[in-house]
Amino acid sequence: MSVPTLTFVIVGQEDHPIYEVDLTGPKEQQTQYLHQFVLHSSLDAVDEQMWTSKEPHLKVVDRFNGLQVTAFVTAGNTRFLLLHDGRSDDAIRAFFTEVYDLYLRVMLNPFHTPTTRITSREFDRKVKLLAKRLIG
Amino acid sequence: MNFVASFYPQEHRTPPLPLVALIGCSELHREISDYFIQHHRPPLVFHGSNEPLEQFVARAFGPKKQSPLVGGPLPGILKADWFAKHRGKKPAMVVALVERRELDGDPSTWNRMMYGLKQLADAAGQRGAGVLVGVVQQQGQGDLPPDRVQAVSHNLTLDRRLILPLALLPPPGVAPDDPATRHVRDAALTRLGRLALELAAAYYGRLARAVADKAAARRSALGGPLPPELAARTAFKLAVYAEFRQDWATAVAHYREAYAAILAVQIGLPPRPQRWSEVCAVAELVHLKLLMLAVHQGRLEEAVAQVRAHLGHFARPKGVLPASAQGAHLGFLVRQYQVAAQEVGTHVDALPAYYTTTTTTGAAGTAAIGGGGTTSVGGGPAAAGMTGGSTTGAAGGGLMQQQLTGGGATAGMTGTGAGITGSGATGSSTIVSSASLKDCSRAHLLMAAARLAVARRQQADALRAARAGGGGALGSGSALGSGGGGAAALDTAPVRRGPYVGQLVLRNEAAQGGYSPLSDQDYLLFLESEECRLVTPAAVIDVMSSALLLLKDAPGADRLRSQLGGLMAQEHVLAGSLSSARKLLLQVCHQYRREGWLLPLLQALLSLRDVAQRLRLPAEHLCYSLEICALANQLQYKPAVLVPLYGSGGSGQHPIKFLTAGGSGAAVGDEDGGDAGGNDGNGTVSTAISEQASCCARLVDLGTAMAACRSAVQTLITGISEIKQGIMKTAPTSTDGTPAPGAGAGPGPFSPDASGLAPAPATGASGGLPRHFHYTVEHLDLREAQRRARDAGDPRPVAELMHRHTQHDYGWSRCVSLAAGFAYTRPDPDSADFYLGLFCGLPRGLPLKAVVLHFADDQGDMWVQALPGVVPPHAPPYPLLPGHIGSALDSATHSFHHLHLNTHLRQHPPPPPGADGAQPDAEPEAERTAGHAHAAGGPASTSSTSGGPGEGSATLPPQRWTHYSARLAPRCLGRLRAERAILLLSDHATVVFKLASFPPATAASAQPGVLTGPLLGGGRGGADAAAAPFRSVRSSGPTGGPAVSPGQLVLNVAHLGPLPSLSYGLPSGLALLGEHAPLLAVLEVPREGRPLVNACMEFVIGRTSGGLQPGDIVLVVDDAAGPQPGLMALNNERYRIQLPTVQPGRRYTVRLWARASAAGTAAVGAMLLCPAQVTATATLTFEEPFDFKCRMSSEVGVHTLSLPRLTSRDLGSTALTIGQPVVLTAMLRALQPAVVEVASAQVALEPGSAIRLVADPNQQLAAHGPPPGVGPPTGPGGPSQAPTSLASTLGPDPAAGPAGAAAVASGALVVAPYTRLTKSDVMTLLLPICPTELLDHPRSLGRLNIRWRRPAGHVLLPQQPAPHATASGSGSGSDAAGSSAEDGGFAGAEAGDAEGQREGEGAEGAVGEANQRGDGFVDPLAPPCPDPWVTTTLELPRVTVAESLLTARTVGPSAITTGIPFTYSLQLQNFGTTPLELMITLQDAPGFACANERSPSLSVPPRERAGVSWQLTASQPGHQLLPGVRLLAPRHNCALTTQSPHVYVQPF
């Protein structure tokens, strides 16, 4: 039985991941690499797509075989990337919106800079809950 | 690269064209065939034949093979030569060319011609082919004879229009190339082409019907649907026939039908390799046709859907193929991806970001297939609309897959093609983002092809390995196996392509037809042989090169390029081209490093380390080993992300566990195959990268990382000659499955213990290479460097750009990050503190023998050793290292100097036992030890000392910030730059951070100076710690704020030693407006300071208030030491004077005078530039000296009747009348508590105001004021200068009299000599004037200039400021602003010190002893000084002058007695030129009675006088007011009422 793919990454302004979570289950090392490669490569597509859309939700920006990358770009050029295998776009949009709210709360922390990794356990917990509720 | 042309024959990659046979007149064949290929549209293939007629008929229209309707299993799906046969051998029609003379000839010729034509027509008619008779004739020969045409038509049963004349031959005497001839010929050929197309279409239509009928007959015979193979074959034939007819829509429908049937072919489970290959080959052919048809019709969405479906279906067979077949299948997939990239990806890339597409609704699609479903070949469910446009969004792949795999066909089996186009479908235009097609872009498809090529190569490697390990069993018993045991020597020569597409046969002379089918075993053996022979890393590199070539210039594909570069580097490694691999990997590492993607970086680094090992680059190998260790350590501390949401098995595992688990296999490949087309590449791709991923497994858990780190650190200590030897001993081919040295389990072979080699001598590095490890961390902005290189026309790759620098990348900063900066405040002006923060990212400590800092200033370089911890507050500057030692430190060959360096470095004994982070402030400097950590607060502070591996050296603790600091004494003024930080790890290892190359701060780094802030992200020692590397270093002041300014690598040394002090001496009293208020700017050099040389001082007017503007102030500076000594007047400008050399302990005073032209407050700033800036500010308040009032009065009783004015009367102006004398009374009152000595007053009447002074002011005017002062001033500018200055202000000639005064309208009033005014004293000036001209608009009378000064004894004196007790180190200077009372009190209190300081003043002091009074004041009048006389200008009132009509004057007696009548008269004088008619009214007065008429009328002639008299009698004694007289001039509408004087009425 195949394991569904659902990996969420927040990529900071300097193109480096500041938060990543696998929302489905443990992956093999090859899969981990594959996901990292796909997500990293999709940044090219996000950079290209974000200039053609007025909406922060960019929908599916990249595909790799059966995997799709849906992106969300904040006003501060932080990118939310979700690697999935064909989830509902409406659900993903709702998930992104909720996570953006959480992200803004993190950014309100005066000691947090846009390039700092998000290590808040509460943020992690809430993201997982949102994923389970909206796109799980 | 044209993949389609290289992979497929021409008949597959080009559309089929109808084949027309030409027979007869062979000399015309070439011309006709060329015309129909090159000029005719659509093109036709005319194939001329020179064969004998019988032979041609037998070949082209021979009897058809009969096949049984229902038989056993079909031998194949599609005949391999079927396409070629119909495109090149089986003509759709024949064109028989006969000459005109044959048609017109004699009976024998006619009969011969008819015989041949009859034979041809019969044969063609049997096969359904068309026949057309072309009569070749010369142009202009006219129409064919009708009887002969009728005869031919009748004999051949041919339509008459199929017998057409072909005027192909030019008329006699005309060249064939004549345009007129060509025109006629082309017209004839066009007619021929039209008929040929018609006949060919009918032919292929008949063939299609025959095929459909045959299929229907077989279906009825079978009683069910056709077998999939037969259905596929039938649909394929129908599609090809439709293509021949150029009915593209029908062709697409039938190709889809064929594709669906192919998918339904039973392959078996597990799949039979041969069968699977055949199905794949047929599907590939149909897929190619579908792709090309869709693309050429502009249906890109359909093409994309077809690509997705095709790749989805054939990505993985249902079941497990043998290894060799799996490899061949991967080759098939590579080809599919490459073809898709060329055919579809090119068009996808050309799409705009959003494009319009037509979406077909589902109902319409269903309706469109209504007719076709009943006759579908496959018998499956009806498909959705075939031409229904695109699907959009994420569901596109799946939906289209359903469309394609439904198995139904919309085209009916009759092949008519009706209803294929789906014209009934209702489409709607939709704007779709091209991102939904991103997976079919060229880059992605070629990327996937590259991965699959890697997987295929891996499969081939496995096959080769298996064969080398005893694979002879594979070939035993095989027909192909020529040898037994060991490696099978395979001969693939007898294998040929089979009669059906995708089949192979074995040449066998004994078999029927010379060929026998291959057994499955032989087939696998053949595949294995081919895979082993053909699939090499070079072949994979070819695949990747085509992709890389495309991505090279593609914008916005940096990351994809990196990914491909990583894969390609692996193949280069396998192919042995290590340099190419290294270049690629360097770029890849740079990309991942820069963007902080750790897992891909880890993978790339592992590969790079292997390459460095094989390239015999021990230093690089060591660097990468350390970085890998640091990276693994950082991944260990990755936060709790990647912890799965579900599942329990891996919830507690760390990512590094996934990396290091190893042997997990390609589990992704086990995904459900029926999981739509989305997972097509997962398994293969995972397999493709499995090898790369498995190399990460060499880096096992943290314990292994620690061991590898320990080994690397040991190498650093002992030198890299050992590691070099270890590398030399390592087999270069140990790339697969061999643990990398130094990073495998346990200590690597690089460690001396493991390698078993004795440490090499210090100078005897084997191979001539130095044993010293030297690494320079230098920032290189690659993007900028690339841009510059591109602008210069030098598109070098990134790797070459990096090679031009000292090191390849700054990946070392992942191992040791560095932050540096000068301290915010200097402990004293003679020293500067520099701090260094080192963060060790390795899993274990790093030995650090010493830290040497390299500074540079104008005098050159200097090196100083930094000590751990913070600098004690009162520590002296550290001694500099010798220059020759320091300069050798940053060179690569300085191991020799290390021996000498050891004698200069401070030795740091190990800390006492139990000392754990002692407070640095509490211990003397001498006890500071290396590795002695600064642990004062802060989460990321350094740790305590841990025992280092080297004797006498310390260890940089892992995952913590360690602070080193140095105090140095600047040698000269100017910029002091921190150039390098040299970390001496051991006697053989040095790491140099080129501080000057790093940008001061970027947005990426959370704080300036943190060189690798973002790269450290994650983990306890990550970005949070990097954000504040000096957070724990606090200043020693009471505020305790941050002490270090990270990123400040340049210190501007503005001064050496204690700063001089600068203060102001303010005037002792109040400064009056207009006078030069004296100031003193006193510079004092402390005794312990250095001589002040070449300093200068700037003065500027600062903030003003109270109505005073900066431009109102003139600052006079006594520039005594300048090139032209003297006074310099400054008005609202910055002025700089040069100062002489001032020795320590001396003072230097600059005298200033400030003169303001407006009242208010101003700040006078002085700035000493030495070149440090010391500032002082004085606040001066200027007050008005005088209060000034003016009154004007005229003669009593004289009134003037003036004409009314048109303009309104201006406020503030006095109306005068021409010729009427007026006395101006000016009153001057002293306002301030200061004694003022007025020397003179000068009236300067306005020249245009037409006001004349009545008399010589020297005689006529008088001044009334306080009594004169004690005498003329005794000052130097006093009596001797007064007449001169007075004369100079009197105007041209003070004795010129009234005429002269009137000429200049000015005059001077010499008041009583040196009249002194104190506060509230009033001085009055009388000035009789007479207006002489009209003045309609108000104008000032002029000005009154008062010349005054402070008398002797009351001169305003500046105070000498109090000397500074101690030298102030602050550069902000002292603010001398304050009240004068405070300054005076302070000055008096410090008089003794002032005396002492004055003793120290040298001759260069501007203020000498003689000019200084004993009470601390300085005489401001000592030369040179500005003029002490002040001229205050007062404005006289504004007046208007009007013309007088009439002057009225009442005249009465001076003494009146009660009851005695007296005469009261009115005297009038008309000044005008017209007579005045006046109505005169004597007004009532209570104490007087009038005897005659009160209101007479009177006419006054021009220039005449008149008068009216009244007899009045006073009734009451006492002071009475005489009655007024009112004059009214009705014609001029003006009136006048006289003001009567009071008289005293005596009692009778």
Side-chain angles (χ1 to χ4, degrees):
Chain A
M1 183 62 186
S2 65
V3 180
T5 300
L6 200 62
T7 302
F8 176 62
V9 175
I10 298 179
V11 181
Q13 296 173 354
E14 295 299 319
D15 299 334
H16 56 281
I18 59 174
Y19 175 78
E20 36 190 318
V21 62
D22 193 327
L23 297 168
T24 52
K27 294 288 188 297
E28 299 297 333
Q29 60 188 36
Q30 290 90 349
T31 309
Q32 290 285 349
Y33 274 98
L34 175 66
H35 291 180
Q36 289 271 329
F37 278 128
V38 172
L39 286 167
H40 182 257
S41 301
S42 68
L43 286 177
D44 286 338
V46 175
D47 291 346
E48 179 187 352
Q49 188 73 12
M50 62 189 291
W51 298 106
T52 62
S53 173
K54 292 184 290 187
E55 298 293 329
H57 181 62
L58 301 180
K59 299 182 181 175
V60 176
V61 296
D62 201 3
R63 294 161 185 266
F64 178 77
N65 295 329
L67 303 176
Q68 300 174 11
V69 179
T70 305
F72 181 94
V73 180
T74 71
N77 198 23
T78 300
R79 285 145 287 184
F80 297 170
L81 302 179
L82 185 69
L83 181 73
H84 58 98
D85 45 10
R87 305 299 170 102
S88 163
D89 187 64
D90 291 336
I92 294 175
R93 180 193 296 269
F95 172 71
F96 278 159
T97 306
E98 296 287 339
V99 172
Y100 185 43
D101 187 45
L102 293 178
Y103 173 74
L104 288 181
R105 291 168 191 265
V106 172
M107 295 302 293
L108 285 176
N109 181 358
F111 299 103
H112 186 90
T113 65
T115 57
T116 310
R117 272 188 174 268
I118 299 175
T119 56
S120 164
R121 292 182 183 277
E122 186 64 16
F123 180 83
D124 191 51
R125 187 182 66 83
K126 287 184 176 177
V127 168
K128 289 173 180 172
L129 282 179
L130 283 175
K132 194 170 186 178
R133 181 164 60 88
L134 296 174
I135 53 178
Chain B
M1 182 178 181
N2 192 342
F3 298 112
V4 176
S6 12
F7 294 152
Y8 304 104
Q10 187 178 8
E11 62 263 23
H12 288 173
R13 63 175 189 262
T14 56
L17 299 175
L19 181 64
V20 180
L22 275 177
I23 193 162
C25 297
S26 57
E27 69 277 7
L28 297 175
H29 290 178
R30 183 177 181 83
E31 181 183 357
I32 294 174
S33 60
D34 288 348
Y35 173 82
F36 281 102
I37 285 294
Q38 297 175 2
H39 301 291
H40 192 265
R41 290 293 173 271
L44 295 171
V45 178
F46 274 69
H47 182 68
S49 172
N50 294 326
E51 300 166 277
L53 184 61
E54 291 77 11
Q55 188 177 347
F56 169 75
V57 167
R59 177 183 63 80
F61 305 114
K64 183 175 175 58
K65 286 185 295 186
Q66 296 297 325
S67 60
L69 283 179
V70 178
L74 295 175
I77 301 175
L78 200 62
K79 284 192 175 177
D81 59 346
W82 186 86
F83 226 146
K85 180 182 74 174
H86 279 274
R87 290 184 58 137
K89 293 181 180 177
K90 297 294 181 184
M93 60 169 295
V94 60
V95 176
L97 299 178
V98 296
E99 297 181 7
R100 175 70 181 265
R101 61 179 175 81
E102 292 178 317
L103 190 67
D104 296 337
D106 53 7
S108 62
T109 308
W110 166 264
N111 287 335
R112 191 166 52 247
M113 179 195 71
M114 285 305 299
Y115 173 76
L117 290 178
K118 182 69 176 174
Q119 189 178 1
L120 194 64
D122 291 344
Q126 290 178 358
R127 297 299 302 268
V131 176
L132 192 146
V133 178
V135 180
V136 179
Q137 62 182 12
Q138 285 186 343
Q139 296 178 7
Q141 280 190 338
D143 294 338
L144 300 177
D147 55 336
R148 297 299 178 104
V149 172
Q150 177 65 29
V152 172
S153 170
H154 177 74
N155 286 331
L156 299 182
T157 323
L158 205 62
D159 193 346
R160 288 189 60 179
R161 67 186 183 95
L162 298 179
I163 304 168
L164 76 165
L166 295 176
L168 304 179
L169 303 177
V174 178
D177 292 338
D178 187 81
T181 306
R182 293 177 64 87
H183 177 72
V184 175
R185 187 205 63 173
D186 291 349
L189 290 178
T190 303
R191 282 197 302 275
L192 174 63
R194 195 180 307 121
L195 286 173
L197 264 181
E198 184 182 338
L199 292 179
Y203 170 74
Y204 291 117
R206 280 194 293 274
L207 289 187
R209 273 195 299 275
V211 170
D213 293 343
K214 190 174 178 181
R218 287 189 176 183
R219 195 164 49 248
S220 63
L222 291 172
L226 292 176
E229 296 88 345
L230 201 53
R233 181 190 302 172
T234 304
F236 185 82
K237 287 181 178 179
L238 290 174
V240 172
Y241 291 147
E243 270 198 288
F244 274 119
R245 296 194 310 269
Q246 293 165 14
D247 184 359
W248 309 119
T250 306
V252 169
H254 286 300
Y255 277 131
R256 291 182 187 278
E257 185 183 339
Y259 193 85
I262 291 166
L263 297 181
V265 170
Q266 296 296 324
I267 303 168
L269 197 66
R272 291 175 49 218
Q274 285 199 77
R275 191 65 168 163
W276 173 250
S277 297
E278 182 183 3
V279 168
C280 288
V282 176
E284 179 182 8
L285 177 59
V286 178
H287 167 71
L288 176 67
K289 284 290 180 184
L290 279 172
L291 277 191
M292 300 183 82
L293 285 171
V295 168
H296 284 291
Q297 295 180 56
R299 300 168 185 270
L300 192 56
E301 298 84 3
E302 288 185 18
V304 168
Q306 172 63 31
V307 168
R308 289 171 179 165
H310 181 65
L311 298 177
H313 281 299
F314 291 97
R316 189 182 316 113
K318 293 179 176 58
V320 179
L321 286 174
S324 55
Q326 178 68 28
H329 181 65
L330 289 176
F332 162 80
L333 287 177
V334 170
R335 202 164 56 241
Q336 304 312 301
Y337 276 98
Q338 287 180 322
V339 168
Q342 177 179 331
E343 289 296 311
V344 180
T346 308
H347 298 274
V348 169
D349 288 346
L351 281 178
Y354 288 92
Y355 66 98
T356 305
T357 183
T358 303
T359 304
T360 305
T361 60
T366 307
I369 62 167
T374 55
T375 57
S376 63
V377 177
M386 291 297 176
T387 60
S390 72
T391 56
T392 61
L399 182 55
M400 190 52 71
Q401 177 192 349
Q402 290 177 358
Q403 293 176 352
L404 293 172
T405 57
T410 59
M413 294 308 297
T414 57
T416 56
I420 297 304
T421 58
S423 58
T426 58
S428 61
S429 294
T430 309
I431 295 178
V432 180
S433 167
S434 61
S436 60
L437 310 179
K438 202 73 182 178
D439 57 332
C440 284
S441 66
R442 276 188 300 176
H444 283 70
L445 291 171
L446 291 177
M447 191 75 202
R451 291 195 188 92
L452 290 166
V454 172
R456 185 186 185 193
R457 195 262 311 147
Q458 292 167 358
Q459 200 85 34
D461 289 343
L463 289 174
R464 277 190 285 263
R467 180 189 293 180
L474 290 174
S476 61
S478 166
L480 298 176
S482 58
L490 302 178
D491 182 14
T492 58
V495 179
R496 293 285 186 273
R497 293 180 184 272
Y500 287 87
V501 173
Q503 287 186 354
L504 296 176
V505 293
L506 187 66
R507 191 172 60 194
N508 187 359
E509 300 296 341
Q512 183 182 3
Y515 293 95
S516 62
L518 274 173
S519 65
D520 284 349
Q521 193 173 9
D522 290 345
Y523 181 73
L524 291 179
L525 203 55
F526 168 76
L527 290 183
E528 179 186 350
S529 174
E530 289 294 294
E531 289 293 308
C532 293
R533 183 172 64 89
L534 298 177
V535 182
T536 59
V540 181
I541 289 173
D542 287 342
V543 174
M544 293 179 174
S545 297
S546 59
L548 196 61
L549 195 65
L550 173 69
L551 292 176
K552 190 174 181 181
D553 299 326
D558 292 343
R559 300 171 180 93
L560 210 56
R561 194 160 50 231
S562 298
Q563 196 175 343
L564 182 61
L567 287 175
M568 199 167 174
Q570 293 293 333
E571 299 306 313
H572 275 300
V573 169
L574 296 176
S577 52
L578 297 176
S579 297
S580 302
R582 181 168 169 268
K583 285 184 181 179
L584 285 169
L585 285 172
L586 281 176
Q587 302 182 41
V588 171
C589 284
H590 173 74
Q591 175 85 19
Y592 290 134
R593 227 183 241 136
R594 192 182 56 185
E595 300 188 353
W597 290 72
L598 302 184
L599 281 176
L601 174 62
L602 180 60
Q603 173 185 331
L605 280 176
L606 286 166
S607 303
L608 194 55
R609 187 183 63 173
D610 290 345
V611 169
Q613 171 192 341
R614 297 178 61 179
L615 280 174
R616 315 289 203 269
L617 300 172
E620 277 195 33
H621 185 280
L622 182 59
C623 283
Y624 299 138
S625 296
L626 286 172
E627 189 177 359
I628 288 169
C629 293
L631 200 58
N633 188 50
Q634 188 171 342
L635 286 170
Q636 285 284 335
Y637 293 122
K638 213 167 181 180
V641 296
L642 286 175
V643 175
L645 179 61
Y646 311 115
S648 57
S651 60
Q653 287 191 344
H654 193 270
I656 198 69
K657 297 294 184 186
F658 298 137
L659 291 178
T660 58
S664 56
V668 184
D670 298 334
E671 291 182 16
D672 186 7
D675 190 6
N679 58 358
D680 52 323
N682 277 1
T684 52
V685 170
S686 298
T687 307
I689 61 173
S690 62
E691 186 192 6
Q692 301 165 37
S694 64
C695 66
C696 298
R698 301 169 196 163
L699 191 71
V700 291
D701 56 3
L702 187 59
T704 305
M706 293 282 284
C709 184
R710 187 183 308 118
S711 171
V713 166
Q714 189 65 30
T715 305
L716 286 176
I717 295 172
T718 58
I720 61 173
S721 58
E722 285 75 18
I723 190 175
K724 192 177 79 64
Q725 293 178 11
I727 287 178
M728 295 296 183
K729 291 181 66 176
T730 306
T733 56
S734 62
T735 54
D736 298 328
T738 304
F750 298 159
S751 66
D753 297 336
S755 62
L757 296 173
T763 57
S766 59
L769 291 176
R771 63 179 295 172
H772 194 83
F773 175 80
H774 185 87
Y775 192 94
T776 301
V777 186
E778 180 182 9
H779 177 75
L780 170 63
D781 190 350
L782 273 179
R783 288 182 177 177
E784 181 64 17
Q786 273 185 304
R787 189 188 64 77
R788 289 179 181 171
R790 202 177 300 119
D791 292 344
D794 181 19
R796 294 191 181 191
V798 174
E800 292 189 15
L801 289 175
M802 289 192 291
H803 272 295
R804 291 165 58 186
H805 287 253
T806 51
Q807 289 295 338
H808 315 122
D809 204 344
Y810 47 99
W812 179 268
S813 43
R814 186 172 300 279
C815 308
V816 177
S817 300
L818 180 142
F822 280 99
Y824 275 114
T825 57
R826 298 169 64 179
D828 59 70
D830 270 344
S831 59
D833 288 352
F834 188 81
Y835 280 85
L836 198 68
L838 298 173
F839 185 91
C840 179
L842 295 171
R844 54 174 288 124
L846 189 68
L848 187 60
K849 181 181 173 188
V851 176
V852 176
L853 298 173
H854 173 204
F855 296 93
D857 57 9
D858 291 343
Q859 292 189 8
D861 300 329
M862 53 184 170
W863 289 266
V864 69
Q865 182 186 0
L867 295 178
V870 299
V871 186
H874 303 295
Y878 296 177
L880 299 181
L881 294 176
H884 67 283
I885 293 293
S887 59
L889 278 173
D890 51 356
S891 65
T893 57
H894 67 288
S895 57
F896 172 75
H897 295 283
H898 261 280
L899 301 175
H900 300 275
L901 181 65
N902 289 334
T903 62
H904 293 280
L905 292 178
R906 301 190 190 188
Q907 297 299 323
H908 309 296
D916 187 9
Q919 298 299 322
D921 294 342
E923 59 182 358
E925 185 269 340
E927 295 178 7
R928 298 170 65 203
T929 59
H932 185 172
H934 169 63
S941 179
T942 53
S943 65
S944 62
T945 305
S946 59
E951 185 180 357
S953 64
T955 301
L956 206 58
Q959 304 299 317
R960 304 188 72 177
W961 281 103
T962 304
H963 296 142
Y964 281 76
S965 57
R967 174 167 294 174
L968 69 158
R971 300 177 297 188
C972 61
L973 302 181
R975 293 160 64 85
L976 175 65
R977 304 180 303 275
E979 294 283 344
R980 288 177 173 85
I982 304 167
L983 310 185
L984 303 175
L985 303 182
S986 69
D987 283 343
H988 307 289
T990 307
V991 176
V992 178
F993 282 85
K994 276 183 131 177
L995 299 176
S997 70
F998 281 86
T1002 62
S1005 57
Q1007 192 153 349
V1010 181
L1011 305 182
T1012 57
L1015 298 182
L1016 279 174
R1020 292 180 305 196
D1024 292 338
F1030 298 109
R1031 188 162 47 197
S1032 60
V1033 181
R1034 316 300 288 183
S1035 65
S1036 57
T1039 57
V1044 186
S1045 170
Q1048 185 191 347
L1049 303 177
V1050 176
L1051 181 69
N1052 193 10
V1053 180
H1055 191 267
L1056 295 174
L1059 280 173
S1061 62
L1062 182 63
S1063 55
Y1064 261 117
L1066 290 173
S1068 57
L1070 197 61
L1072 300 181
L1073 208 63
E1075 71 169 343
H1076 286 93
L1079 284 171
L1080 296 178
V1082 180
L1083 171 67
E1084 180 178 354
V1085 180
R1087 292 180 185 278
E1088 62 274 17
R1090 305 187 183 193
L1092 196 63
V1093 182
N1094 293 332
C1096 54
M1097 195 181 292
E1098 274 189 0
F1099 297 98
V1100 67
I1101 301 298
R1103 188 175 51 194
T1104 57
S1105 62
L1108 185 63
Q1109 299 298 322
D1112 297 334
I1113 298 180
V1114 175
L1115 199 64
V1116 179
V1117 182
D1118 181 11
D1119 189 4
Q1124 295 178 346
L1127 298 181
M1128 292 292 169
L1130 318 172
N1131 186 9
N1132 194 19
E1133 56 189 341
R1134 187 181 293 269
Y1135 188 70
R1136 176 177 295 187
I1137 64 171
Q1138 196 67 31
L1139 298 180
T1141 302
V1142 183
Q1143 297 299 326
R1146 301 294 183 90
R1147 304 174 76 180
Y1148 181 81
T1149 304
V1150 179
R1151 294 197 300 167
L1152 303 165
W1153 292 268
R1155 182 165 61 87
S1157 58
T1161 302
V1164 180
M1167 182 187 298
L1168 172 67
L1169 304 171
C1170 56
Q1173 295 183 356
V1174 182
T1175 59
T1177 307
T1179 303
L1180 289 177
T1181 302
F1182 297 92
E1183 298 288 349
E1184 291 278 359
F1186 303 113
D1187 190 9
F1188 180 60
K1189 295 288 184 185
C1190 266
R1191 286 182 181 174
M1192 284 189 289
S1193 56
S1194 62
E1195 188 180 357
V1196 177
V1198 177
H1199 301 86
T1200 302
L1201 181 65
S1202 302
L1203 288 173
R1205 296 172 182 273
L1206 295 177
T1207 56
S1208 60
R1209 185 175 178 179
D1210 291 306
L1211 295 177
S1213 63
T1214 305
L1216 304 179
T1217 306
I1218 290 179
Q1220 183 182 20
V1222 174
V1223 174
L1224 180 68
T1225 305
M1227 290 167 288
L1228 207 62
R1229 184 167 64 105
L1231 279 176
Q1232 307 303 335
V1235 180
V1236 171
E1237 190 175 72
V1238 178
S1240 66
Q1242 180 194 11
V1243 177
L1245 294 179
E1246 193 70 26
S1249 62
I1251 305 294
R1252 288 183 179 181
L1253 289 175
V1254 172
D1256 183 359
N1258 289 327
Q1259 301 172 3
Q1260 300 293 329
L1261 300 184
H1264 305 280
V1270 293
T1274 57
S1280 62
Q1281 293 181 2
T1284 306
S1285 63
L1286 181 61
S1288 64
T1289 57
L1290 279 179
D1293 186 5
V1304 297
S1306 64
L1309 166 64
V1310 180
V1311 297
Y1314 307 109
T1315 302
R1316 289 192 175 184
L1317 301 179
T1318 56
K1319 186 175 182 180
S1320 302
D1321 288 346
V1322 177
M1323 186 176 70
T1324 304
L1325 303 175
L1326 297 179
L1327 185 66
I1329 58 175
C1330 179
T1332 57
E1333 294 179 10
L1334 282 176
L1335 195 60
D1336 290 336
H1337 300 288
R1339 183 176 292 181
S1340 170
L1341 271 176
R1343 294 174 305 278
L1344 177 62
N1345 297 325
I1346 306 297
R1347 182 175 167 79
W1348 60 273
R1349 71 172 182 181
R1350 291 182 187 252
H1354 300 277
V1355 175
L1356 194 60
L1357 298 175
Q1359 293 177 350
Q1360 188 70 258
H1364 284 249
T1366 58
S1368 169
S1370 170
S1372 60
S1374 59
D1375 189 355
S1379 66
S1380 60
E1382 290 176 356
D1383 288 343
F1386 185 59
E1390 301 293 337
D1393 284 346
E1395 287 291 332
Q1397 292 297 326
R1398 279 193 296 275
E1399 290 176 359
E1401 288 187 357
E1404 66 275 13
V1407 179
E1409 296 283 345
N1411 297 330
Q1412 194 159 352
R1413 291 163 38 172
D1415 53 359
F1417 292 96
V1418 176
D1419 186 4
L1421 299 179
C1425 69
D1427 186 6
W1429 290 94
V1430 183
T1431 299
T1432 300
T1433 300
L1434 304 171
E1435 198 72 19
L1436 294 177
R1438 295 155 63 88
V1439 296
T1440 58
V1441 181
E1443 186 182 5
S1444 173
L1445 283 178
L1446 177 128
T1447 300
R1449 183 176 185 178
T1450 54
V1451 178
S1454 57
I1456 301 172
T1457 305
T1458 308
I1460 300 176
F1462 66 93
T1463 301
Y1464 184 61
S1465 63
L1466 175 68
Q1467 299 175 356
L1468 301 171
Q1469 183 176 3
N1470 185 2
F1471 289 99
T1473 57
T1474 57
L1476 278 178
E1477 294 179 355
L1478 298 174
M1479 297 178 64
I1480 302 172
T1481 303
L1482 179 68
Q1483 294 181 335
D1484 291 336
F1488 299 94
C1490 181
N1492 46 2
E1493 185 184 1
R1494 280 181 170 267
S1495 301
S1497 293
L1498 185 65
S1499 176
V1500 185
R1503 311 294 184 187
E1504 292 294 332
R1505 294 175 185 267
V1508 179
S1509 297
W1510 292 275
Q1511 287 294 323
L1512 299 180
T1513 303
S1515 59
Q1516 296 177 0
H1519 283 281
Q1520 299 290 336
L1521 185 64
L1522 284 171
V1525 180
R1526 176 177 173 79
L1527 304 176
L1528 176 62
R1531 292 181 60 185
H1532 297 280
N1533 192 22
C1534 55
L1536 169 68
T1537 302
T1538 64
Q1539 291 183 352
S1540 301
H1542 282 82
V1543 296
Y1544 179 71
V1545 180
Q1546 297 178 352
F1548 180 72

